[in-house]
Every structure is written in structure tokens, then in C-alpha cells.
Amino acid sequence: MSAPQIPNLLLSPAGGRSRGGRGPGRGRGRGRISGRANAAAIQSKDLDIQSTDTDAAVSRLSAVSLGYLDDPFASLFVNGPSTRRQPIINRGTYARTTALDILINAFLSHEPLSTDDITPTRQIISLGAGTDTRYFRLRAKNMHHNLIYHEFDFPSVCATKRQITSGSRSLSMQDDSMELFAWQENKTTEEDQEPAWGFARREDSSDIRYCCHPLDLRSLPYTPPMSLLDYFTGVRSDIPTLIISECCLCYLEVENAQEVVEWFADRIESLGIILYEPIGVDDPFGQMMVSNLAARNITMPTVKVYKTLDDQKRRLSDLIIHTTDDGGAQEAETVGNIWEKWISPQEKERVDNLEGLDEVEEWQMLARHYAVVWGWRGKSGWENWEALKENQ
Amino acid sequence: MSDLDRAIAQLRACRPIPEAQVRELCHKARELLIEEGNVVTVKAPVTICGDIHGQFHDLMELFRVGGDVPDTNYLFMGDFVDRGFYSLESFLLLLCLKVRYPDRMTLIRGNHESRQITTVYGFYDECLRKYGSANVWRYCCEVFDYLALGAIVLGASTALEPRSAPYDRRRSTQELDDSEVEIEVVERDGSINNRYPRAKPGVVATPPQESPAKSSPTAKTGPPGSAASGWSRGTPTSTSGAVLCVHGGLSPLIDGIDKIRLLDRKQEVPHEGAMCDLLWSDPDEIDGWGLSPRGAGFLFGANIVKVFNHSNNLSMIARAHQLVMEGFKEMFENNIVTVWSAPNYCYRCGNVAAILELAEDGLGESAHPRTNGDINRSNGIVLREDKTLLAGPARRYRVFQAAPQDSRGMPAKKPMVEYFL
């Protein structure tokens, strides 16, 4: 698309407050339940799932406030003062964030072989990103110049993030070469839709660097107008692309989650994926987790199918690897092993000293029930992941 | 009805008592505890309990399973507070019972009975929430400083006390004379889950194939590294000794019980040193001493325990401090047991809980009298090479689950158990 076509909705006050608010009703595919009562129940469930983002943001701020993580943006996405989480939750937030940092930094980093060897551009697509601050953190570390970053989440979540971002100088003005845009992606209706928004380069506003796409991901595979990648502002098919799902796909029905990943896999050749979700739901701890979350109206259909690290690796192999045979692999670690193996002794000591962690057995049990799973296909763009694998 | 009995009734209903009353209670409790030594002597019969962690409704379940106070003589090995929603009610009830029935209730200090830890793990916040100020937290912390560091149980029988009638409904298939049984595991409904005979000298007992947590087959394995399997087997000797109860475990600075008696305990739990170790250490499958992943206390291996038990004339150490999925776990050829009394710990872990009953010596088969560090205490008994000498007292573990959801009376809002979402 060309730049002049993109209206800057942020400039119009009305646009700034527009809400999608259409929720799951947008889905036109199979398996949709009709009836008002059901619709209300589904909507309530969606809100409970969306609340998991608030939960995650609070956990992140807790870990940041106590010094586990460095994230100057965490407080911007939480209302009110920081809530202190349990030490094992803080440590888990730390271990999971660090694991993703390691994988993502490896994906983005490039050792120039010669002076005219320019850093190739990479793409990240974060599913159910919510109020995640990762893009802003990468930008603060100057790691955003050869990166195109996309987020997909419910329209209401995107709207909140847009309001917070446009209202904060540190989020919106951090890089002078970029400017905010907002743009109606869904051209099929005239209604007041939540726009896609993000940052484009000031000197070439068709050069999208960051974009939040308001979308109920569940409907993605079933919505014909979206069948082309082009539908989504700035998403490219020709560069190495990493899909991230931090506790997002686990809330979808198993088949639906599979179709969402396949949707991207069918359209992007050089593809990697990182999943972060619970495993081991069959033992007493896991059963209790399922029942405690069910009491909060949160169900995770996929965890009943992918119960072990091996299940998860097979899942990735089935999803993305079978379409190519020129390289790739699947890896998986529990958060407990990541803490043990990936964090240096000095760093462990620093983190240990922040609060003292008395609940060793509980930590081990909790950390055994969460996994980081990653896989990729292709060679070019994934050399660093290949190296990580060999180093372990 | 005295004020104290009224306070007990109110706390049993899980309702906090007024601040002024807490202050008075804590004052009385301190006067009582100041008279106790660092190591309290307790006569069997006694029921030994592990961590409670503010799980008030599960504490009530514990009393239903173990018998009420003062009918049952209780010894709680610390960690009354933090983590659960009702640390305040749980601790104050235990303290009321202590003041009301001083010789039927023994409370020793856990690592959570500390100012620093309670500010991190919930008790401080709970007091602030329930009273609007930190006064009650301060009164309680002053009591913490006076709690004993350990207890010695004397006069425990090597034979199980016969079960009262209701527990005889369902006899185990393993028909053993009560006097031959060293360990019995009893379920909540009174049915016997498992009985392990006392091994005869020279006969190596085979570990039972079955986990005591029969009712929940998936609960068989504990966390890695904890080697929790929940099984126990009979000790291969016939002489018995005293049982040391302590929250965490041993200290490299403590080679005898008399050394514990010499500590100045009336202070906040220090970050290091003997007092800290007693409350923080854990047994582990290592040789000698090791660094603790908790950042306080030490890890100690089988040989440390065996030498300590031998030189102090102990048959066993009972301790708490570590979550075990089956509620109890004996280690190092029955030289040490972990007792855990908080079922479904943190409303999250899915574990069962246990309490340990030691019967009174009524048949002349007394546990060996304690002589604490007396060099010539062995009465001619020859220490064997493996240093497992003194037979443990007969032990009945009562295993129980979390109080049913409907009786738990959770706070108005649903319990928010934290996960990564």
C-alpha cells in the first residue's frame, strides 16, 4: 500500500476512542454457537481470557519493581501501584522472559562478515501480545532498526495499547525517525472499527516497523477477506519470521490453534515459532492448576493434548516442518531447566538475593509445569538457533 | 465461659479477635514461652504436625483427623503463618490453645515465624488488611521470638497404640499383631492404607511396593531431587530412643542437643548460624554438608543424621519445612522423617497432608530414655558399622486431604492462585 492512503486516525479525537468491541461474533467459520445466552457466556469467557493479559502485566511489573527484570515500560501498562507477586511467580516471570530474550536476541543478532555486510531484516509476529512491552524494549536497546514487529490481539486490547502508547512520550516519541499511524485494515464495513496502528518511518510512511492488528485470532483461518497476507498492514512473506505465542494459543481450541499457525506457515516460507505454555496437566499439581483456572473461567484446551515436552516438539514438527526439508528442528525446555541451565551462576545469585526464595519444592513443581518450545524451518536466518542447539 | 474460651470459640469460627485481645493473648503467651527451654521436653503420646501456612480450614480438618485439644497432645513444628489466606486466625487459635492448655500444645518455631519472611510471604499484609495497622503483626512477631527451637519426645512406645473402634472397621489385608507393626498409614476414613512390620535383626526389610498415597495413584512421585516416594520400612533393630523435633534440620555448628540449649533464641531469626540452620536446613541425598538452594541453612546427608542420632541417643528426627506430596517421607533408613500438614499447599500443589502419632509406652517397651550427649549413654549397645542403631518408635501416620471446597469458606472473592498466564 502507498503512504498517502493511510489516514492518521490518531489526529482525529473520535478515532482515538473507537472500539472494536465485536469480539468473537466476527468469526464466520465452523463451530460457532448461536443464541444470545451462549453469546453472552462466550463474551464473558473472552473477557476472562483477556484478563490474563492484565494478570501477566501485573506479574511483569512485580518482577520489574523488585529488580528481577529491567523494563522501564512495564509500569505504563498497569493501572495503580505495583502488586507484589510471590517470589516463585517473580522468578518464573524472570526465567520465562529471559528465555525468550535469549531466543529472540539470537534470532535478531547478526555478526557482519565484512564491512559491507548489512544486517538482514527480520520479522516478529506476536500472537495475543496484549500489553507486552517487548517491542519497546528492543527499541530502547536499538535493536529495532532491522526489525518488523507485529502484534495480533482482540480489538479492545489493541485499543487500550494504542491509547497508552499515544499518551506516553517514552512510548510514542522514543525514536524520532518513526511516527505513529493508525489505519483501518478492515475495509469491508463502514462501521466504527478499531484501526490497526503502529510506527512507520517518518521519511517513508509505507515502511511499517511496528503494527498492532486488532483481530480475534480465532477467526483468522475462516475469514476469506483475510486470506491474503497483504490484508494485514506491513506483514511480509519474504523474510525470516518468528511467531511468538506466550500463553495465547493455549486458550484456543486445539484445531483452531493449529489452523492459526498453519495460516502463517502456508504464507511465510522461512518460519520459526516460540510457544510458552503449561504442560504436565495430568499430575496432582497439573490437575489442581486446571481446576483453579477453570474456577476463573479460564480453560486451556491445548494443554490437554500437548502434555509433555515431546508432545510439544511433535506439535511443532507437524505444524511447520513437514513443508520443507532443508533444515530446521524443534526444541523444548521446562522453565525449571531454563532457570538451571540458561542462567549464569552470577545472575542466579543476583536474582536469588532479591527476595530469597524459600519455596524450593514449590518452585521446582511450578517450573516443571511450564515449557518454552521453539522450532524453525529453513537455514538462512536460523543459524544462531542452530548454534544455540549445538551449544546445549 | 472465660475470655480465653470465647476467643477460642471465635477463632474456631475463623473470625479474628479484637486487637486489644490479641495484645493480651500475646503477652500471656510470651510469659509462658519464656519459661520454656530452647528444646522442650514432651512426653508421648503426642501427635506431631508439620507446616500449616495459614490454611485454617485444613487445620480444622487436621483436628478432626487427629482429635481435638486437649484430648490429643499436639506438637506443631512451625510455619503456622504465610502463604494461606488465614495465617492470623490459624496462629492465634494455636496460640490460644497453647495458653489455655500449655502442656497439651507445643509450638516450635519455623523459618516463617520471622519478621523478614512474613513481610514477603503474606502474614504482614494479612494483618494490615484485617486490622488496618501493623500492631497485631508486631505482637505476633514478639511471640515468634520466644518460641522454642526444638522438642524432644520421650516415652514413645515401640508398639502402636490400639486403634479406637471406628478405625477397626476395615482391617488391612496385612494382618499383623499391633506389637509387630512399626509403621501404619491410616486414611481419613480410618481405613488402613499400609502397615510395615518391624524388621527382625539381621533381616533386611523389603520396601513396600505400594505408595501410601493409594487413594491418589498419580501422587506417587515427588519433586525431582526430593526423592519423595512416601514409603518407609521397618528399622532393623529393637532398641529405641528419643525423637528430636525441629522445623528444618541440623546445623554443622550443632553436634549435640545441649548445644541447642545454649543458644540465645530470643531474637529475630538470624541470616546464618546455628539457630538459622535449625530452622532452614534440609536433608538430602548427599555426603556430608552441602549448600542449600534456599540461600539459608544447609543440606545434610545420611551420615550426618546417623552420627547425630547416635551420639544424642535419638532414634529419629522429625522435621517439617519441605513439601512432600504424600504428606510424610522417611529417609536415611528411618533416621529422619519429614511431616507436612498443609494439604493442597497454597491451594495449588495437589498434595495430601499427614500427621505423625507416637503412642505412649504402656507396655514397658519404653523408648530409650534421653541422656542428651552423655558419652557413656550406650548401655553396652554396640554401634554397628552403618550406625543405625536405635529403633524408631512405632509410628502411625494419618493422611488427609484438603478440607472440602464447600466448607472452606473462601473469602468473598474467589481464591486467586497465581499462575503464569
Side-chain angles (χ1 to χ4, degrees), chain B residues 327-345:
Chain B
F328 72 95
K329 185 178 115 183
E330 296 196 355
M331 288 171 78
F332 308 158
E333 295 166 74
N334 318 83
N335 272 276
I336 191 163
V337 61
T338 300
V339 180
W340 183 264
S341 305
N344 194 22
Y345 179 43

Side-chain angles (χ1 to χ4, degrees), chain A residues 47-112:
Chain A
L47 288 176
D48 287 315
I49 298 294
Q50 287 171 31
S51 77
T52 63
D53 174 54
T54 310
D55 195 282
V58 169
S59 293
R60 185 169 59 238
L61 182 56
S62 169
V64 169
S65 310
L66 291 159
Y68 285 83
L69 295 168
D70 182 23
D71 182 350
F73 311 107
S75 63
L76 301 173
F77 293 98
V78 176
N79 280 325
S82 168
T83 305
R84 187 172 187 155
R85 293 289 201 214
Q86 292 171 22
I88 55 170
I89 297 291
N90 290 328
R91 186 191 274 190
T93 302
Y94 168 84
R96 155 242 195 122
T97 306
T98 306
L100 267 86
D101 283 350
I102 289 170
L103 290 169
I104 290 167
N105 290 347
F107 171 63
L108 296 179
S109 66
H110 177 74
E111 295 285 325

